């Protein structure tokens, strides 16, 4: 599904061609999205990175006819993106999303009435590197268990710190920022992440973990 106010990346079709078999084979996936909500240039770095997310990103996405048949009778007139984020619709299923977005929106006004456009969407980075996704090894996102292992290893090998220990956002190796739920908005504002939640899920996150790059790290 590609809205009329979206520009696509050079490898847009390769990305969806490579991820279609994953969507078809894993009942724990309900979509593949081209969009990273936290895709500003200072928050992304790896054009080949792809993740599972509990959050439906939208803005250029792929679904199967089986999922459409499941939801079409309930489809709302507006805010359909929030409709797909409801727990009774998502049913603990995931979406795939890239680190660097494969779409860019130039539509300030639409069914969502321009929510977050100037603050976040307008500055979201569109990938300009040609990635041969079909030749990529995507086994780490092929199943929920494979991604659980991949993400757990990423967190375990990162340096665990608290926000107040981070000086000027300068890092030279992977870090994991530990925080309490009540501190989320403070953490999001510090890094310039989108701070809202939908159905209790933070944008781009998976099981409460939100992977992003910081100044190229």
């Amino acid at each position: 599904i590609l809205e009329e106010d979206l520009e696509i990346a050079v490898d847009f079709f390769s990305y969806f061609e490579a991820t279609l078999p994953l969507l078809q084979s894993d009942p724990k996936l309900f979509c593949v999205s081209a969009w990273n909500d936290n895709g500003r240039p200072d928050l992304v770095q790896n054009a080949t990175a792809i993740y599972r997310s509990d959050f439906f990103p939208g803005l250029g996405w792929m679904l199967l006819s089986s999922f459409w048949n499941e939801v079409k009778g309930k489809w709302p007139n507006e805010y359909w993106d929030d409709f797909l984020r409801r727990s009774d619709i998502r049913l603990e299923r995931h979406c795939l999303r890239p680190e660097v977005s494969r779409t860019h929106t130039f539509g300030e006004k639409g069914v969502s009435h321009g929510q977050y456009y100037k603050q976040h969407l307008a500055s979201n980075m569109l990938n300009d590197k040609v990635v041969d996704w079909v030749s990529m090894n995507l086994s780490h996102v092929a199943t929920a268990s494979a991604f659980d292992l991949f993400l757990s290893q990423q967190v375990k090998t990162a340096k665990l710190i608290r926000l107040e220990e981070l000086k000027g956002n300068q890092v030279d190796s992977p870090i994991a920022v530990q925080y309490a739920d009540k501190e989320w908005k403070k953490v999001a504002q510090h890094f310039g992440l989108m701070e809202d939640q939908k159905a209790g899920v933070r944008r781009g996150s998976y099981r409460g973990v939100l992977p992003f790059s910081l100044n190229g790290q």
Side-chain angles (χ1 to χ4, degrees):
I1 295 179
L2 193 64
E3 296 106 312
E4 69 226 16
D5 57 357
L6 293 178
E7 180 181 358
I8 64 174
V10 291
D11 60 346
F12 175 89
F13 292 106
S14 174
Y15 171 77
F16 282 105
E17 180 183 1
T19 52
L20 175 58
L22 304 184
L23 182 61
Q24 291 173 323
S25 62
D26 185 8
K28 289 293 289 182
L29 288 174
F30 76 95
C31 86
V32 178
S33 174
W35 180 259
N36 175 11
D37 282 293
N38 295 298
R40 291 202 332 262
D42 56 320
L43 296 174
V44 299
Q45 188 267 335
N46 186 355
T48 66
I50 181 172
Y51 301 96
R52 282 185 175 241
S53 176
D54 294 317
F55 192 90
F56 170 72
L59 293 177
W61 57 288
M62 176 169 61
L63 75 163
L64 300 178
S65 59
S66 56
F67 181 69
W68 171 244
N69 289 332
E70 182 183 324
V71 300
K72 65 182 181 182
K74 312 171 190 175
W75 200 257
N77 292 327
E78 59 181 4
Y79 293 107
W80 53 264
D81 46 357
D82 285 345
F83 164 76
L84 291 172
R85 293 163 185 155
R86 283 170 28 185
S87 59
D88 62 315
I89 299 298
R90 188 172 65 83
L91 298 177
E92 298 186 343
R93 290 172 289 192
H94 316 134
C95 286
L96 296 179
R97 59 95 174 166
E99 177 168 320
V100 184
S101 293
R102 265 55 191 187
T103 54
H104 181 77
T105 178
F106 51 84
E108 184 170 355
K109 294 187 179 179
V111 295
S112 295
H113 306 299
Q115 270 187 316
Y116 313 115
Y117 182 81
K118 291 181 179 178
Q119 186 178 1
H120 293 283
L121 307 188
S123 59
N124 200 293
M125 178 178 171
L126 178 66
N127 176 62
D128 60 1
K129 297 178 175 62
V130 178
V131 176
D132 182 8
W133 285 97
V134 177
S135 300
M136 293 276 294
N137 179 3
L138 302 180
S139 59
H140 68 292
V141 292
T143 64
S145 58
F147 189 67
D148 286 350
L149 179 61
F150 168 79
L151 192 58
S152 295
Q153 290 174 337
Q154 296 290 306
V155 173
K156 288 176 182 177
T157 57
K159 179 182 178 182
L160 185 63
I161 67 168
R162 295 192 62 79
L163 185 63
E164 53 269 23
E165 299 173 308
L166 190 59
K167 306 298 183 182
N169 286 356
Q170 297 302 312
V171 296
D172 54 13
S173 62
I175 62 170
V177 179
Q178 187 178 32
Y179 64 93
D181 274 349
K182 64 181 180 182
E183 301 173 325
W184 164 245
K185 284 196 173 184
K186 177 181 177 182
V187 172
Q189 290 168 358
H190 177 90
F191 293 112
L193 302 166
M194 295 190 73
E195 62 188 62
D196 66 319
Q197 303 180 68
K198 303 290 184 178
V201 180
R202 289 155 192 163
R203 292 179 183 263
S205 67
Y206 178 83
R207 298 194 176 182
V209 178
L210 175 56
F212 65 94
S213 294
L214 181 62
N215 300 323
Q217 292 290 332

